[in-house]
Amino acid sequence: MNALTSAAGQSALPLLADRDLDAPVAWVAGSPVSARRFLADAQQLASALPEGGPAINLCVDRYAFAVGLVAALLRGQASLLPPDARPDTLSRLHESGDACYALTDDPALATPGLERVLYEVDAFRGDAPAAVASAAFDSACHAVSLLTSGSTGVPQAHAKRWGTLVGDVAAAVPRLASLLGRPSLEGLTLVATVPVQHSYGLESSVLLALLGGAIFDSGRPFFPADIAKALSAVPRPRALVTTPFHLKTLLLSGVELPPVDFLLSATAPLSPQLAAQAEDALGGPMIEIYGSTETGQVATRRTTQTDVWETLGEIRVHVEQQGQADERFIFAGDFVPEPTAMADILELVDERHFRLLGRANDLIHVAGRRSSLGYLNPHLNSIPGVGGGAF
């Protein structure tokens, strides 16, 4: 069954934000690629994909990944996004019993026991074939499964419907645009250091472009000089999508950094000091995203201005008491499929605002007060002369 449906269908949600199909949706090796070209590439790859699925999307290049993601949807197939491409990880997926296959842009990558499709980004350099004018997918269709490794090392799958992904981005776009001081994200180019198979990397690069009207850069720069080069290669307005680890390494490198209009960070809380250093060095506002693989992004804060997070869209948070001491903080509403507990300790201001105190598994009690080791770390690192430290 093909997941492509008529845009007039009540349950169909579009692939692309309302945009000029001849305007860029991506930058690949320094060249713009139009939305029309992107749709044509996805349609062309879809015709070459095997029957069955799901597709294990292992593409490192962000453009190749995005083409593969949409090609699979056009064939009615979900995409599995594993945390790594190690042979043992892939073999466990192969043992699941599905007729899955590997989609990769690396000819040297070993995919033992799996049928393999190699996608070469340079293949799009020729004339574009006729592309679908638009694409929409059933909101209930299984679009991706984000795979995270549990304590046993066995990948744990978190399935996402297309409607969930669309809702996730729809809630984030107005918040991010307002923090950026723009009416929309149109024309904003996203340079990301995070892998696209990660929930944050998926939402804040490829999906924020396709569904939110921005443009994504195809690369994944890692070293400071590569990050600076990638930013310089795309026009303004531009944003850096990164993590505290990458950001700290970048700022300590001494590399001359081009200005950006926006900074996004997630995966761990930023200290106010690091956020302020980033804004001074790069010029744009630093916005943090809070969420999880299970829920997607659910809250943001401007770290240099407040320690309070605000939920996205219509998401609400409440506390459930378990026993005399244990509390669970539940996020629900909007695009979150079902009420979900976070593995964090929060201090609720109201149902839409909270402070993040730390992980539930590092909670400590001293003299009748509680905190977490993770929450204490920023205070330690704010002491003048302390270059880095942790409890």
mmCIF file of all heavy atoms in Angstrom, residues 62 190-195 198 200-201 204-205 220-224 227 231 239-251 260 262-268 270 274 278 282 285-289:
data_model
loop_
_atom_site.group_PDB
_atom_site.id
_atom_site.type_symbol
_atom_site.label_atom_id
_atom_site.label_comp_id
_atom_site.label_asym_id
_atom_site.label_seq_id
_atom_site.Cartn_x
_atom_site.Cartn_y
_atom_site.Cartn_z
ATOM 1 N N ARG A 62 22.917 14.533 5.234
ATOM 2 C CA ARG A 62 21.549 14.884 5.611
ATOM 3 C C ARG A 62 20.608 14.905 4.404
ATOM 4 O O ARG A 62 19.428 14.581 4.528
ATOM 5 C CB ARG A 62 21.568 16.240 6.322
ATOM 6 C CG ARG A 62 20.693 16.315 7.558
ATOM 7 C CD ARG A 62 20.965 17.570 8.367
ATOM 8 N NE ARG A 62 22.238 17.487 9.040
ATOM 9 C CZ ARG A 62 22.426 17.018 10.275
ATOM 10 N NH1 ARG A 62 21.381 16.635 10.979
ATOM 11 N NH2 ARG A 62 23.617 16.942 10.814
ATOM 12 N N LEU A 190 19.793 25.870 8.295
ATOM 13 C CA LEU A 190 20.163 25.134 9.507
ATOM 14 C C LEU A 190 21.427 24.325 9.261
ATOM 15 O O LEU A 190 21.449 23.442 8.404
ATOM 16 C CB LEU A 190 19.020 24.202 9.910
ATOM 17 C CG LEU A 190 17.635 24.855 10.034
ATOM 18 C CD1 LEU A 190 16.553 23.793 10.056
ATOM 19 C CD2 LEU A 190 17.570 25.721 11.287
ATOM 20 N N VAL A 191 22.486 24.626 10.000
ATOM 21 C CA VAL A 191 23.717 23.839 9.975
ATOM 22 C C VAL A 191 23.759 23.056 11.286
ATOM 23 O O VAL A 191 23.782 23.645 12.367
ATOM 24 C CB VAL A 191 24.962 24.732 9.839
ATOM 25 C CG1 VAL A 191 26.241 23.900 9.940
ATOM 26 C CG2 VAL A 191 24.936 25.491 8.515
ATOM 27 N N ALA A 192 23.762 21.723 11.203
ATOM 28 C CA ALA A 192 23.627 20.894 12.396
ATOM 29 C C ALA A 192 24.839 19.995 12.608
ATOM 30 O O ALA A 192 25.353 19.405 11.653
ATOM 31 C CB ALA A 192 22.358 20.036 12.299
ATOM 32 N N THR A 193 25.259 19.889 13.863
ATOM 33 C CA THR A 193 26.371 19.006 14.220
ATOM 34 C C THR A 193 25.881 17.659 14.734
ATOM 35 O O THR A 193 26.688 16.766 14.973
ATOM 36 C CB THR A 193 27.244 19.651 15.313
ATOM 37 O OG1 THR A 193 26.484 19.774 16.528
ATOM 38 C CG2 THR A 193 27.746 21.020 14.888
ATOM 39 N N VAL A 194 24.580 17.512 14.913
ATOM 40 C CA VAL A 194 24.019 16.300 15.506
ATOM 41 C C VAL A 194 23.560 15.337 14.420
ATOM 42 O O VAL A 194 23.078 15.760 13.370
ATOM 43 C CB VAL A 194 22.845 16.637 16.447
ATOM 44 C CG1 VAL A 194 23.359 17.218 17.739
ATOM 45 C CG2 VAL A 194 21.882 17.605 15.791
ATOM 46 N N PRO A 195 23.699 14.026 14.643
ATOM 47 C CA PRO A 195 23.270 13.054 13.629
ATOM 48 C C PRO A 195 21.771 13.115 13.418
ATOM 49 O O PRO A 195 20.994 13.328 14.347
ATOM 50 C CB PRO A 195 23.710 11.703 14.212
ATOM 51 C CG PRO A 195 23.839 11.942 15.678
ATOM 52 C CD PRO A 195 24.266 13.363 15.837
ATOM 53 N N HIS A 198 19.161 10.864 15.328
ATOM 54 C CA HIS A 198 18.796 11.213 16.692
ATOM 55 C C HIS A 198 17.508 12.044 16.658
ATOM 56 O O HIS A 198 17.272 12.819 15.736
ATOM 57 C CB HIS A 198 19.936 12.020 17.331
ATOM 58 C CG HIS A 198 19.755 12.310 18.785
ATOM 59 N ND1 HIS A 198 18.962 13.347 19.237
ATOM 60 C CD2 HIS A 198 20.261 11.711 19.887
ATOM 61 C CE1 HIS A 198 18.992 13.367 20.564
ATOM 62 N NE2 HIS A 198 19.767 12.396 20.974
ATOM 63 N N TYR A 200 16.478 14.695 18.256
ATOM 64 C CA TYR A 200 16.732 16.125 18.158
ATOM 65 C C TYR A 200 17.288 16.502 16.785
ATOM 66 O O TYR A 200 16.859 17.482 16.175
ATOM 67 C CB TYR A 200 17.693 16.524 19.283
ATOM 68 C CG TYR A 200 18.357 17.869 19.174
ATOM 69 C CD1 TYR A 200 17.629 19.034 18.932
ATOM 70 C CD2 TYR A 200 19.737 17.993 19.348
ATOM 71 C CE1 TYR A 200 18.252 20.268 18.858
ATOM 72 C CE2 TYR A 200 20.363 19.226 19.288
ATOM 73 C CZ TYR A 200 19.621 20.360 19.040
ATOM 74 O OH TYR A 200 20.246 21.584 18.968
ATOM 75 N N GLY A 201 18.217 15.706 16.273
ATOM 76 C CA GLY A 201 18.784 15.972 14.961
ATOM 77 C C GLY A 201 17.758 15.871 13.853
ATOM 78 O O GLY A 201 17.782 16.644 12.881
ATOM 79 N N SER A 204 15.126 19.006 14.397
ATOM 80 C CA SER A 204 15.649 20.367 14.304
ATOM 81 C C SER A 204 16.514 20.618 13.079
ATOM 82 O O SER A 204 17.121 21.682 12.974
ATOM 83 C CB SER A 204 16.436 20.706 15.576
ATOM 84 O OG SER A 204 15.589 20.710 16.695
ATOM 85 N N SER A 205 16.585 19.664 12.165
ATOM 86 C CA SER A 205 17.277 19.936 10.903
ATOM 87 C C SER A 205 16.354 19.578 9.733
ATOM 88 O O SER A 205 15.678 20.449 9.178
ATOM 89 C CB SER A 205 18.623 19.199 10.829
ATOM 90 O OG SER A 205 18.483 17.795 10.910
ATOM 91 N N ARG A 220 27.376 17.287 8.162
ATOM 92 C CA ARG A 220 27.371 17.087 9.604
ATOM 93 C C ARG A 220 28.769 17.424 10.123
ATOM 94 O O ARG A 220 29.566 16.534 10.448
ATOM 95 C CB ARG A 220 26.983 15.645 9.964
ATOM 96 C CG ARG A 220 26.901 15.406 11.464
ATOM 97 C CD ARG A 220 26.762 13.937 11.780
ATOM 98 N NE ARG A 220 27.150 13.661 13.161
ATOM 99 C CZ ARG A 220 27.366 12.448 13.646
ATOM 100 N NH1 ARG A 220 27.234 11.391 12.872
ATOM 101 N NH2 ARG A 220 27.723 12.280 14.897
ATOM 102 N N PRO A 221 29.122 18.713 10.196
ATOM 103 C CA PRO A 221 30.460 19.098 10.655
ATOM 104 C C PRO A 221 30.654 18.726 12.116
ATOM 105 O O PRO A 221 29.726 18.834 12.929
ATOM 106 C CB PRO A 221 30.470 20.615 10.456
ATOM 107 C CG PRO A 221 29.029 21.019 10.539
ATOM 108 C CD PRO A 221 28.271 19.882 9.917
ATOM 109 N N PHE A 222 31.862 18.308 12.450
ATOM 110 C CA PHE A 222 32.156 17.854 13.812
ATOM 111 C C PHE A 222 33.253 18.704 14.457
ATOM 112 O O PHE A 222 33.083 19.234 15.545
ATOM 113 C CB PHE A 222 32.565 16.381 13.790
ATOM 114 C CG PHE A 222 32.895 15.829 15.150
ATOM 115 C CD1 PHE A 222 31.886 15.415 15.994
ATOM 116 C CD2 PHE A 222 34.208 15.721 15.581
ATOM 117 C CE1 PHE A 222 32.174 14.907 17.260
ATOM 118 C CE2 PHE A 222 34.513 15.217 16.833
ATOM 119 C CZ PHE A 222 33.499 14.804 17.675
ATOM 120 N N PHE A 223 34.388 18.856 13.781
ATOM 121 C CA PHE A 223 35.493 19.614 14.332
ATOM 122 C C PHE A 223 35.224 21.114 14.187
ATOM 123 O O PHE A 223 34.528 21.544 13.263
ATOM 124 C CB PHE A 223 36.803 19.232 13.633
ATOM 125 C CG PHE A 223 37.197 17.801 13.869
ATOM 126 C CD1 PHE A 223 37.078 16.862 12.857
ATOM 127 C CD2 PHE A 223 37.666 17.394 15.108
ATOM 128 C CE1 PHE A 223 37.424 15.538 13.065
ATOM 129 C CE2 PHE A 223 38.015 16.068 15.329
ATOM 130 C CZ PHE A 223 37.903 15.140 14.311
ATOM 131 N N PRO A 224 35.759 21.925 15.113
ATOM 132 C CA PRO A 224 35.476 23.370 15.094
ATOM 133 C C PRO A 224 35.735 24.039 13.751
ATOM 134 O O PRO A 224 34.902 24.836 13.290
ATOM 135 C CB PRO A 224 36.406 23.912 16.184
ATOM 136 C CG PRO A 224 36.509 22.795 17.166
ATOM 137 C CD PRO A 224 36.527 21.546 16.324
ATOM 138 N N ILE A 227 32.950 23.205 11.410
ATOM 139 C CA ILE A 227 31.706 23.904 11.745
ATOM 140 C C ILE A 227 31.752 25.333 11.225
ATOM 141 O O ILE A 227 30.804 25.830 10.606
ATOM 142 C CB ILE A 227 31.467 23.882 13.266
ATOM 143 C CG1 ILE A 227 31.255 22.438 13.761
ATOM 144 C CG2 ILE A 227 30.253 24.735 13.632
ATOM 145 C CD1 ILE A 227 31.200 22.299 15.267
ATOM 146 N N LEU A 231 29.276 26.926 8.287
ATOM 147 C CA LEU A 231 28.469 28.129 8.495
ATOM 148 C C LEU A 231 28.791 29.191 7.449
ATOM 149 O O LEU A 231 27.888 29.851 6.916
ATOM 150 C CB LEU A 231 28.705 28.678 9.903
ATOM 151 C CG LEU A 231 28.104 27.867 11.060
ATOM 152 C CD1 LEU A 231 28.624 28.383 12.401
ATOM 153 C CD2 LEU A 231 26.583 27.929 11.030
ATOM 154 N N ALA A 239 21.466 29.328 11.161
ATOM 155 C CA ALA A 239 21.402 28.875 12.543
ATOM 156 C C ALA A 239 22.351 27.706 12.740
ATOM 157 O O ALA A 239 22.569 26.905 11.817
ATOM 158 C CB ALA A 239 19.977 28.462 12.906
ATOM 159 N N LEU A 240 22.885 27.592 13.942
ATOM 160 C CA LEU A 240 23.700 26.444 14.321
ATOM 161 C C LEU A 240 22.887 25.575 15.265
ATOM 162 O O LEU A 240 22.442 26.029 16.324
ATOM 163 C CB LEU A 240 24.994 26.899 14.995
ATOM 164 C CG LEU A 240 25.920 25.781 15.499
ATOM 165 C CD1 LEU A 240 26.393 24.902 14.342
ATOM 166 C CD2 LEU A 240 27.112 26.363 16.264
ATOM 167 N N VAL A 241 22.686 24.327 14.880
ATOM 168 C CA VAL A 241 21.961 23.345 15.684
ATOM 169 C C VAL A 241 23.008 22.418 16.286
ATOM 170 O O VAL A 241 23.670 21.670 15.560
ATOM 171 C CB VAL A 241 20.958 22.555 14.814
ATOM 172 C CG1 VAL A 241 20.196 21.537 15.661
ATOM 173 C CG2 VAL A 241 19.994 23.504 14.115
ATOM 174 N N THR A 242 23.151 22.429 17.604
ATOM 175 C CA THR A 242 24.303 21.758 18.193
ATOM 176 C C THR A 242 23.986 21.231 19.588
ATOM 177 O O THR A 242 22.824 21.210 20.010
ATOM 178 C CB THR A 242 25.513 22.724 18.208
ATOM 179 O OG1 THR A 242 26.693 22.017 18.559
ATOM 180 C CG2 THR A 242 25.291 23.892 19.157
ATOM 181 N N THR A 243 25.032 20.827 20.311
ATOM 182 C CA THR A 243 24.907 20.302 21.670
ATOM 183 C C THR A 243 25.886 21.037 22.578
ATOM 184 O O THR A 243 26.830 21.671 22.099
ATOM 185 C CB THR A 243 25.234 18.798 21.717
ATOM 186 O OG1 THR A 243 26.646 18.624 21.455
ATOM 187 C CG2 THR A 243 24.421 18.015 20.692
ATOM 188 N N PRO A 244 25.710 20.966 23.895
ATOM 189 C CA PRO A 244 26.664 21.622 24.797
ATOM 190 C C PRO A 244 28.106 21.164 24.579
ATOM 191 O O PRO A 244 29.032 21.980 24.641
ATOM 192 C CB PRO A 244 26.155 21.229 26.185
ATOM 193 C CG PRO A 244 24.693 21.049 25.990
ATOM 194 C CD PRO A 244 24.553 20.427 24.630
ATOM 195 N N PHE A 245 28.324 19.883 24.319
ATOM 196 C CA PHE A 245 29.677 19.372 24.104
ATOM 197 C C PHE A 245 30.307 20.019 22.876
ATOM 198 O O PHE A 245 31.436 20.527 22.930
ATOM 199 C CB PHE A 245 29.654 17.853 23.942
ATOM 200 C CG PHE A 245 30.980 17.277 23.515
ATOM 201 C CD1 PHE A 245 32.010 17.111 24.422
ATOM 202 C CD2 PHE A 245 31.204 16.927 22.184
ATOM 203 C CE1 PHE A 245 33.248 16.600 24.020
ATOM 204 C CE2 PHE A 245 32.425 16.413 21.782
ATOM 205 C CZ PHE A 245 33.442 16.248 22.705
ATOM 206 N N HIS A 246 29.606 19.990 21.745
ATOM 207 C CA HIS A 246 30.126 20.596 20.524
ATOM 208 C C HIS A 246 30.332 22.098 20.700
ATOM 209 O O HIS A 246 31.318 22.667 20.217
ATOM 210 C CB HIS A 246 29.164 20.357 19.352
ATOM 211 C CG HIS A 246 29.178 18.953 18.845
ATOM 212 N ND1 HIS A 246 28.027 18.255 18.593
ATOM 213 C CD2 HIS A 246 30.201 18.108 18.548
ATOM 214 C CE1 HIS A 246 28.337 17.042 18.148
ATOM 215 N NE2 HIS A 246 29.646 16.934 18.128
ATOM 216 N N LEU A 247 29.395 22.746 21.394
ATOM 217 C CA LEU A 247 29.462 24.195 21.559
ATOM 218 C C LEU A 247 30.675 24.592 22.401
ATOM 219 O O LEU A 247 31.406 25.534 22.055
ATOM 220 C CB LEU A 247 28.177 24.688 22.209
ATOM 221 C CG LEU A 247 27.970 26.199 22.261
ATOM 222 C CD1 LEU A 247 27.965 26.795 20.861
ATOM 223 C CD2 LEU A 247 26.662 26.513 22.980
ATOM 224 N N LYS A 248 30.900 23.889 23.498
ATOM 225 C CA LYS A 248 32.038 24.218 24.356
ATOM 226 C C LYS A 248 33.353 24.002 23.618
ATOM 227 O O LYS A 248 34.268 24.833 23.688
ATOM 228 C CB LYS A 248 31.998 23.377 25.631
ATOM 229 C CG LYS A 248 33.064 23.769 26.655
ATOM 230 C CD LYS A 248 32.849 23.061 27.971
ATOM 231 C CE LYS A 248 33.845 23.553 29.011
ATOM 232 N NZ LYS A 248 33.624 22.888 30.323
ATOM 233 N N THR A 249 33.446 22.898 22.882
ATOM 234 C CA THR A 249 34.649 22.622 22.101
ATOM 235 C C THR A 249 34.874 23.700 21.052
ATOM 236 O O THR A 249 36.001 24.152 20.830
ATOM 237 C CB THR A 249 34.536 21.246 21.420
ATOM 238 O OG1 THR A 249 34.302 20.239 22.417
ATOM 239 C CG2 THR A 249 35.807 20.897 20.666
ATOM 240 N N LEU A 250 33.805 24.139 20.423
ATOM 241 C CA LEU A 250 33.892 25.175 19.397
ATOM 242 C C LEU A 250 34.412 26.489 19.980
ATOM 243 O O LEU A 250 35.299 27.136 19.415
ATOM 244 C CB LEU A 250 32.513 25.380 18.767
ATOM 245 C CG LEU A 250 32.384 26.422 17.661
ATOM 246 C CD1 LEU A 250 33.198 26.012 16.436
ATOM 247 C CD2 LEU A 250 30.913 26.617 17.292
ATOM 248 N N LEU A 251 33.878 26.880 21.149
ATOM 249 C CA LEU A 251 34.255 28.157 21.745
ATOM 250 C C LEU A 251 35.679 28.146 22.290
ATOM 251 O O LEU A 251 36.344 29.182 22.333
ATOM 252 C CB LEU A 251 33.264 28.523 22.854
ATOM 253 C CG LEU A 251 31.819 28.764 22.403
ATOM 254 C CD1 LEU A 251 30.929 29.073 23.587
ATOM 255 C CD2 LEU A 251 31.754 29.890 21.384
ATOM 256 N N VAL A 260 26.030 34.047 13.416
ATOM 257 C CA VAL A 260 24.799 33.312 13.128
ATOM 258 C C VAL A 260 23.624 34.112 13.677
ATOM 259 O O VAL A 260 23.789 34.994 14.514
ATOM 260 C CB VAL A 260 24.806 31.889 13.728
ATOM 261 C CG1 VAL A 260 25.992 31.095 13.234
ATOM 262 C CG2 VAL A 260 24.781 31.935 15.247
ATOM 263 N N PHE A 262 20.918 32.528 14.998
ATOM 264 C CA PHE A 262 20.129 31.673 15.872
ATOM 265 C C PHE A 262 21.019 30.525 16.325
ATOM 266 O O PHE A 262 21.827 30.021 15.544
ATOM 267 C CB PHE A 262 18.955 31.130 15.052
ATOM 268 C CG PHE A 262 17.760 30.687 15.844
ATOM 269 C CD1 PHE A 262 17.534 31.109 17.136
ATOM 270 C CD2 PHE A 262 16.833 29.829 15.268
ATOM 271 C CE1 PHE A 262 16.412 30.694 17.834
ATOM 272 C CE2 PHE A 262 15.713 29.409 15.948
ATOM 273 C CZ PHE A 262 15.504 29.859 17.245
ATOM 274 N N LEU A 263 20.911 30.142 17.592
ATOM 275 C CA LEU A 263 21.621 28.975 18.115
ATOM 276 C C LEU A 263 20.616 28.064 18.799
ATOM 277 O O LEU A 263 19.810 28.523 19.620
ATOM 278 C CB LEU A 263 22.686 29.404 19.139
ATOM 279 C CG LEU A 263 23.940 30.085 18.601
ATOM 280 C CD1 LEU A 263 24.526 31.017 19.648
ATOM 281 C CD2 LEU A 263 24.970 29.035 18.211
ATOM 282 N N LEU A 264 20.642 26.789 18.464
ATOM 283 C CA LEU A 264 19.803 25.790 19.119
ATOM 284 C C LEU A 264 20.692 24.775 19.814
ATOM 285 O O LEU A 264 21.707 24.343 19.249
ATOM 286 C CB LEU A 264 18.924 25.051 18.106
ATOM 287 C CG LEU A 264 17.652 25.706 17.598
ATOM 288 C CD1 LEU A 264 16.936 24.768 16.640
ATOM 289 C CD2 LEU A 264 16.733 26.071 18.754
ATOM 290 N N SER A 265 20.308 24.387 21.027
ATOM 291 C CA SER A 265 21.061 23.359 21.746
ATOM 292 C C SER A 265 20.097 22.430 22.450
ATOM 293 O O SER A 265 19.017 22.842 22.889
ATOM 294 C CB SER A 265 22.010 24.002 22.769
ATOM 295 O OG SER A 265 22.749 23.022 23.471
ATOM 296 N N ALA A 266 20.498 21.166 22.576
ATOM 297 C CA ALA A 266 19.696 20.171 23.291
ATOM 298 C C ALA A 266 20.616 19.016 23.679
ATOM 299 O O ALA A 266 21.814 19.048 23.395
ATOM 300 C CB ALA A 266 18.530 19.681 22.439
ATOM 301 N N THR A 267 20.057 18.017 24.300
ATOM 302 C CA THR A 267 20.644 16.755 24.800
ATOM 303 C C THR A 267 21.176 16.873 26.218
ATOM 304 O O THR A 267 21.292 15.863 26.912
ATOM 305 C CB THR A 267 21.769 16.168 23.904
ATOM 306 O OG1 THR A 267 22.945 16.968 23.994
ATOM 307 C CG2 THR A 267 21.312 16.052 22.452
ATOM 308 N N ALA A 268 21.507 18.064 26.704
ATOM 309 C CA ALA A 268 21.935 18.286 28.082
ATOM 310 C C ALA A 268 21.752 19.759 28.391
ATOM 311 O O ALA A 268 21.872 20.596 27.488
ATOM 312 C CB ALA A 268 23.390 17.869 28.284
ATOM 313 N N LEU A 270 22.406 23.544 29.311
ATOM 314 C CA LEU A 270 23.520 24.481 29.178
ATOM 315 C C LEU A 270 23.656 25.297 30.457
ATOM 316 O O LEU A 270 22.653 25.666 31.075
ATOM 317 C CB LEU A 270 23.252 25.460 28.034
ATOM 318 C CG LEU A 270 23.649 25.099 26.610
ATOM 319 C CD1 LEU A 270 23.184 26.211 25.677
ATOM 320 C CD2 LEU A 270 25.141 24.903 26.485
ATOM 321 N N LEU A 274 28.001 29.371 29.638
ATOM 322 C CA LEU A 274 28.311 28.887 28.293
ATOM 323 C C LEU A 274 27.358 29.493 27.274
ATOM 324 O O LEU A 274 27.759 29.850 26.160
ATOM 325 C CB LEU A 274 28.246 27.361 28.246
ATOM 326 C CG LEU A 274 28.606 26.696 26.910
ATOM 327 C CD1 LEU A 274 30.000 27.098 26.449
ATOM 328 C CD2 LEU A 274 28.492 25.172 27.016
ATOM 329 N N ALA A 278 28.435 31.792 24.095
ATOM 330 C CA ALA A 278 28.028 31.447 22.731
ATOM 331 C C ALA A 278 27.369 32.635 22.043
ATOM 332 O O ALA A 278 27.634 32.926 20.867
ATOM 333 C CB ALA A 278 27.087 30.249 22.754
ATOM 334 N N LEU A 282 28.984 34.271 18.702
ATOM 335 C CA LEU A 282 28.301 34.010 17.430
ATOM 336 C C LEU A 282 27.206 35.016 17.093
ATOM 337 O O LEU A 282 26.742 35.065 15.952
ATOM 338 C CB LEU A 282 27.720 32.591 17.447
ATOM 339 C CG LEU A 282 28.786 31.485 17.380
ATOM 340 C CD1 LEU A 282 28.289 30.210 18.020
ATOM 341 C CD2 LEU A 282 29.187 31.230 15.945
ATOM 342 N N PRO A 285 20.724 34.671 19.328
ATOM 343 C CA PRO A 285 20.148 34.209 20.592
ATOM 344 C C PRO A 285 20.306 32.701 20.753
ATOM 345 O O PRO A 285 20.163 31.947 19.796
ATOM 346 C CB PRO A 285 18.674 34.597 20.474
ATOM 347 C CG PRO A 285 18.410 34.684 19.007
ATOM 348 C CD PRO A 285 19.684 35.150 18.386
ATOM 349 N N MET A 286 20.620 32.274 21.978
ATOM 350 C CA MET A 286 20.777 30.851 22.279
ATOM 351 C C MET A 286 19.460 30.316 22.843
ATOM 352 O O MET A 286 18.976 30.776 23.883
ATOM 353 C CB MET A 286 21.903 30.652 23.303
ATOM 354 C CG MET A 286 21.934 29.269 23.950
ATOM 355 S SD MET A 286 22.096 27.922 22.770
ATOM 356 C CE MET A 286 23.816 28.115 22.309
ATOM 357 N N ILE A 287 18.884 29.351 22.146
ATOM 358 C CA ILE A 287 17.634 28.723 22.563
ATOM 359 C C ILE A 287 17.901 27.252 22.878
ATOM 360 O O ILE A 287 18.519 26.545 22.086
ATOM 361 C CB ILE A 287 16.554 28.817 21.466
ATOM 362 C CG1 ILE A 287 16.386 30.265 21.006
ATOM 363 C CG2 ILE A 287 15.236 28.247 21.963
ATOM 364 C CD1 ILE A 287 16.042 31.238 22.091
ATOM 365 N N GLU A 288 17.454 26.819 24.037
ATOM 366 C CA GLU A 288 17.565 25.398 24.399
ATOM 367 C C GLU A 288 16.234 24.696 24.169
ATOM 368 O O GLU A 288 15.164 25.281 24.364
ATOM 369 C CB GLU A 288 17.961 25.255 25.860
ATOM 370 C CG GLU A 288 19.426 25.435 26.137
ATOM 371 C CD GLU A 288 19.771 25.011 27.544
ATOM 372 O OE1 GLU A 288 19.700 25.857 28.450
ATOM 373 O OE2 GLU A 288 20.131 23.826 27.742
ATOM 374 N N ILE A 289 16.335 23.454 23.779
ATOM 375 C CA ILE A 289 15.162 22.599 23.578
ATOM 376 C C ILE A 289 15.184 21.484 24.598
ATOM 377 O O ILE A 289 16.230 20.857 24.848
ATOM 378 C CB ILE A 289 15.143 22.014 22.160
ATOM 379 C CG1 ILE A 289 14.884 23.127 21.133
ATOM 380 C CG2 ILE A 289 14.083 20.931 22.019
ATOM 381 C CD1 ILE A 289 14.955 22.669 19.700
#
